[in-house]
Amino acid sequence: MEPLSSALALEQTSQVLGKEPIVPFVILLVVLLVVPILFERLRLPAIVGLVLAGLVLGPSGWNLIHTESPMISLLSNIGLVYLMFVAGLEVDWKLWRRQKGRAFGYGGLSFAVPLLTGVLVGRIFNFGWNTSVLVGSLLGSYTLLAYPIINHLGIISNRAVTTTIGATVFTDISSLLILAICVLAFEKGVSNLSEIFPLLGWLITVSVVILLGFDWLGKEFFRRSGDDEGKKFLFVLLTVFLAVVVAQFIGIEKIFGAFLAGLAVNEAIGEGPVKEKIVFVGSVLFIPIFFINLGLLIDVPGLIHHLFILKLTGLIVVGLISSKFVAAWLAKFFYGYSWQEMLTIWSLSIPQVSTTLAAAFVGYQAGLLSGAVLTSIVFLMLVTAIVGPLLTGRTAVALTTASVTEPVTPLPEQQVQEIHNSDYTIVVPVYNPHTQQNLVEMAALLASQAQGRIVPLAIATSAAHMDAPQLEISLQRSERLLARATAHSQALGVEASALLRIDDAFAPGISRAAREQKANLIVMGWGKRTGLRARLFGNVIDNVLWSSHCPVAVTRLVESPKKIQRILVPVENLVTPTLQPVQFAQMLAEANQAQVTVLNVCDRRTSSSKIAARRSQLALLVSKLALPTSPEIQIIAHENAAQAILQAARLYDLVVLPFIRNRTSPGGLALSDVTTQLASQLTCSIVMLGEPQSVQTPTVTSGVSNSTAAV
């Protein structure tokens, strides 16, 4: 009796909850908050958790959320559009132009072989030619779900990896183009192959018009908008949904229009706060709801009781993995890749997430794909989203160890700077009286060592009226802060030139003042995000890091900088190292007669000979900085880089980290960056050093990327 009464109670609860439209939205918010955190702890992609959550909450589970709900349908469709828009937005055209030959070649192989495999699977199960071709196109694209792994390993510049990244442009466009043709042919009842060519010509014409028109419009609007990020944000949202409306008006699928809009405004937006905010809105709310909605559509009872679905799912999964392997092997044959490179590009091309799911969902809505096929594609996503990154983690390590034996490339000029000169200027924004003393002390130690000066900077904000009472109060407060900062710096024996500036906002005021003063470094205090507005529109530190012309040191000091005696500088990889933190740490160490340790964490399976080679390579790289005293070099073999650094950091007073923005997979739902983990868990003093945007290595994903590090 108890199971029966429990089932009745659950059914009554679901009926009551179904009458109140706000309840499903509250449930969705709880899922969006809890599930990604839980699956990150399990070291699984949170996308998998969101789909499984939809399965549990939907008709196959507790039936708390209904697929026919207008609210769920609206939010899911927005998420679908947003997903494909950001997929286009994240394409790096510069990388594509550099690698277009090989990217086009591997893209063709990685699309054509799975396409033929999918068509064969469709015909085996007696699908029509239209449906079979669509199934094949779903297998042709891939999502760079393992991008954070290869980014952490530092193999982004590897020839095979850059080819795989660039090839996503071809595979995504091809998959969406075939989807649009198949749906149009299905809706118009096209049965003759010759009738396809006019549709293809029409699609290409519309695509060119959207790409060129929106690109010109975006660049013009951004040029005329100045620094108004709010207007730019709204313009981009208008662009994507306008492209969707135009696409639907002329009979093209909305996700094709959204993807074209992303490609069109890609270069106009560039890398900056506007792009980050656009991606944040989608990755936090709309895109995850789309994945949850996919889980609602999975028919678990049908999957269990129908042998047809099991066979179809199994054949699609095996066909996808094997066809991607064949494509990678062909790339090895044509381009002379090593076996390690071949296995890496194979593992990178396995995950089927953004374009695959979006196209499958549209095909299902159009009636071209059955519920059984959609269920099989969703399970394909679950399997490949887990298997792909796991394989990449194992195969890509070989590329890092192989790089140890390669010649050391010269460091960029930006990483080797002469710091001992009388013009060395450090700008110190002062705002919080409680942290001001340590900030000025840190800047003074660095300035004394560099024989330079510090510029205590206070910003008084005012939009327009110079006689506003609030401005007068702000000016008086700023003058008091500057007087204290000047007195403290003089007591430390360092030249100080206090600067009071009136500006529209803190971040642009700091960046502009630093540029005017020809600053070599900006030293700022820790800024923690508070509230949704800060997450949506950033904080002062985020915006200064985006716009500054010089390095920015973001500090969280638990004691006086003069007490720092042991400094740890983790270097994440040796392929494209960021060594400016080493230079910064040594500069501070000389002022305090402190010791610097440069730490690199390698895979626990690395042999002792390769560890010795890594130590020699790291020592050689550090020697390029021409430091007065050589720091200690330490290599640790560990399965978890963050945990290894946390354990080592217990013996140090300060950890200097590079500020690295996460570039993740669709929805921003991949593994978090090592820097982010360290910043949230370290208990000692921290300095996070961010380089100017023009100096940072460009990054690419085939989906959504979003978050900043912990500052």
Side-chain angles (χ1 to χ4, degrees):
M1 293 294 294
E2 289 186 3
L4 181 61
S5 60
S6 300
L8 290 174
L10 184 61
E11 183 178 354
Q12 292 174 355
T13 302
S14 65
Q15 291 176 353
V16 172
L17 294 177
K19 296 178 180 178
E20 180 56 57
I22 200 66
V23 173
F25 187 68
V26 173
I27 296 174
L28 286 176
L29 292 180
V30 173
V31 171
L32 297 182
L33 177 65
V34 175
V35 169
I37 297 174
L38 176 61
F39 272 71
E40 185 176 330
R41 297 279 178 88
L42 297 174
R43 301 190 65 79
L44 291 173
I47 296 173
V48 176
L50 293 171
V51 174
L52 294 179
L55 190 151
V56 171
L57 297 174
S60 297
W62 297 340
N63 200 29
L64 295 179
I65 301 179
H66 305 289
T67 56
E68 63 274 8
S69 167
M71 180 196 68
I72 299 296
S73 178
L74 175 62
L75 293 177
S76 176
N77 279 315
I78 293 176
L80 173 65
V81 168
Y82 224 120
L83 177 65
M84 296 315 302
F85 170 69
V86 179
L89 195 63
E90 288 290 342
V91 170
D92 191 324
W93 286 113
K94 293 180 180 178
L95 179 64
W96 163 255
R97 294 186 187 106
R98 289 200 308 267
Q99 297 287 335
K100 60 182 178 181
R102 291 194 174 190
F104 184 83
Y106 176 67
L109 293 172
S110 185
F111 184 79
V113 178
L115 172 66
L116 295 175
T117 303
V119 172
L120 179 61
V121 170
R123 297 304 294 168
I124 289 175
F125 286 91
N126 296 319
F127 295 157
W129 279 105
N130 203 0
T131 300
S132 299
V133 171
L134 180 55
V135 171
S137 71
L138 297 179
L139 307 185
S141 64
Y142 58 90
T143 302
L144 293 172
L145 201 63
Y147 187 90
I149 297 175
I150 58 176
N151 187 30
H152 167 63
L153 294 174
I155 59 173
I156 298 296
S157 58
N158 179 275
R159 55 179 185 170
V161 173
T162 54
T163 297
T164 309
I165 294 172
T168 56
V169 180
F170 180 86
T171 57
D172 283 349
I173 292 176
S174 300
S175 182
L176 293 175
L177 194 60
I178 290 182
L179 168 72
I181 294 174
C182 288
V183 172
L184 272 175
F186 177 74
E187 293 176 345
K188 295 181 180 298
V190 174
S191 58
N192 192 337
L193 185 62
S194 61
E195 299 178 30
I196 296 293
F197 293 105
L199 297 178
L200 180 60
W202 174 241
L203 281 173
I204 293 175
T205 302
V206 172
S207 300
V208 171
V209 170
I210 292 179
L211 287 173
L212 297 180
F214 279 60
D215 177 58
W216 174 83
L217 189 62
K219 289 178 179 178
E220 281 295 309
F221 185 87
F222 272 59
R223 183 177 63 83
R224 297 174 184 272
S225 303
D227 295 329
D228 194 331
E229 295 178 8
K231 289 181 180 178
K232 293 179 180 178
F233 180 82
L234 292 176
F235 171 80
V236 174
L237 288 184
L238 175 62
T239 298
V240 59
F241 288 104
L242 181 61
V244 169
V245 171
V246 171
Q248 289 187 310
F249 180 76
I250 60 180
I252 300 176
E253 277 305 317
K254 54 178 175 276
I255 64 171
F256 189 68
F259 184 75
L260 290 177
L263 292 177
V265 300
N266 184 303
E267 292 187 319
I269 296 176
E271 296 289 338
V274 175
K275 179 178 178 180
E276 185 174 89
K277 293 158 191 170
I278 293 165
V279 172
F280 171 80
V281 171
S283 64
V284 168
L285 182 62
F286 298 117
I287 296 174
I289 290 178
F290 167 69
F291 291 126
I292 293 174
N293 188 49
L294 283 177
L296 299 177
L297 298 174
I298 297 178
D299 183 14
V300 175
L303 181 67
I304 296 174
H305 295 100
H306 290 81
L307 189 61
F308 168 81
I309 300 180
L310 290 175
K311 288 182 178 179
L312 177 62
T313 302
L315 199 56
I316 285 179
V317 172
V318 173
L320 179 279
I321 295 176
S322 59
S323 63
K324 291 295 184 182
F325 182 86
V326 171
W329 181 84
L330 290 173
K332 175 185 181 298
F333 176 77
F334 287 117
Y335 301 125
Y337 295 145
S338 65
W339 278 103
Q340 291 87 355
E341 290 173 324
M342 190 216 81
L343 292 174
T344 299
I345 63 177
W346 170 56
S347 65
L348 286 173
S349 61
I350 286 177
Q352 304 289 297
V353 182
S354 57
T355 305
T356 302
L357 289 180
F361 184 73
V362 169
Y364 171 76
Q365 286 185 319
L368 193 53
L369 298 180
S370 65
V373 177
L374 179 64
T375 300
S376 299
I377 295 299
V378 172
F379 272 94
L380 172 70
M381 183 278 294
L382 296 176
V383 173
T384 57
I386 296 173
V387 172
L390 287 177
L391 289 175
T392 302
R394 293 181 178 274
T395 59
V397 171
L399 298 184
T400 63
T401 55
S403 66
V404 172
T405 60
E406 297 176 358
V408 177
T409 55
L411 290 172
E413 293 182 2
Q414 293 92 339
Q415 291 195 21
V416 184
Q417 297 179 352
E418 178 59 49
I419 60 176
H420 297 279
N421 63 80
S422 57
D423 295 329
Y424 195 88
T425 302
I426 303 175
V427 169
V428 189
V430 292
Y431 181 79
N432 186 348
H434 301 292
T435 61
Q436 175 180 321
Q437 180 172 337
N438 282 344
L439 272 181
V440 173
E441 200 168 283
M442 169 72 78
L445 287 173
L446 296 170
S448 63
Q449 187 60 36
Q451 302 173 1
R453 67 188 181 107
I454 66 173
V455 178
L457 170 66
I459 304 294
T461 57
S462 178
H465 302 289
M466 294 297 105
D467 59 347
Q470 294 85 353
L471 176 59
E472 183 62 32
I473 296 173
S474 180
L475 288 171
Q476 293 176 3
R477 180 180 183 277
S478 298
E479 289 170 351
R480 290 195 297 269
L481 290 172
L482 290 176
R484 290 179 55 186
T486 303
H488 189 60
S489 59
Q490 289 175 347
L492 295 171
V494 177
E495 178 187 352
S497 305
L499 178 62
L500 175 59
R501 183 187 182 97
I502 300 175
D503 213 304
D504 296 339
F506 288 103
I510 294 171
S511 300
R512 291 162 185 165
R515 183 62 177 174
E516 291 167 358
Q517 295 294 318
K518 299 180 181 179
N520 302 91
L521 179 68
I522 300 174
V523 177
M524 302 182 66
W526 194 266
K528 296 184 178 179
R529 295 182 180 276
T530 55
L532 181 62
R533 180 175 177 81
R535 295 299 303 273
L536 283 173
F537 298 104
N539 58 20
V540 174
I541 292 176
D542 288 323
N543 290 320
V544 171
L545 282 161
W546 277 118
S547 58
S548 66
H549 77 287
C550 63
V552 180
V554 183
T555 65
R556 188 191 70 189
L557 301 172
V558 297
E559 60 181 353
S560 169
K562 292 189 291 185
K563 297 180 180 180
I564 294 174
Q565 292 298 311
R566 301 200 67 193
I567 305 173
L568 180 66
V569 186
V571 176
E572 285 201 38
N573 66 75
L574 305 185
V575 182
T576 55
T578 301
L579 293 182
Q580 197 168 53
V582 179
Q583 191 176 23
F584 176 91
Q586 191 63 37
M587 185 177 172
L588 181 62
E590 290 174 20
N592 276 357
Q593 289 78 50
Q595 175 63 42
V596 176
T597 299
V598 181
L599 172 67
N600 175 251
V601 181
C602 61
D603 187 82
R604 61 181 178 83
R605 294 166 293 179
T606 306
S607 64
S608 57
S609 61
K610 289 182 178 178
I611 290 177
R614 293 179 74 89
R615 184 179 290 107
S616 299
Q617 185 188 27
L618 183 54
L620 184 57
L621 287 169
V622 172
S623 69
K624 299 290 183 180
L625 295 174
L627 301 173
T629 57
S630 300
E632 177 187 353
I633 305 298
Q634 187 174 357
I635 306 292
I636 296 178
H638 200 282
E639 60 184 4
N640 187 304
Q643 290 301 319
I645 297 171
L646 286 171
Q647 293 172 12
R650 296 172 183 173
L651 303 176
Y652 292 86
D653 307 310
L654 173 69
V655 177
V656 182
L657 302 168
F659 183 92
I660 301 176
R661 293 180 177 271
N662 288 330
R663 315 303 295 177
T664 62
S665 55
L669 303 174
L671 302 176
S672 59
D673 185 78
V674 172
T675 303
T676 306
Q677 298 179 49
L678 294 175
S680 61
Q681 298 182 43
L682 284 170
T683 56
C684 62
S685 296
I686 301 174
V687 171
M688 300 186 69
L689 196 66
E691 296 182 18
Q693 281 299 113
S694 59
V695 177
Q696 295 179 5
T697 303
T699 52
V700 189
T701 57
S702 178
V704 181
S705 67
N706 82 311
S707 56
T708 63
V711 297

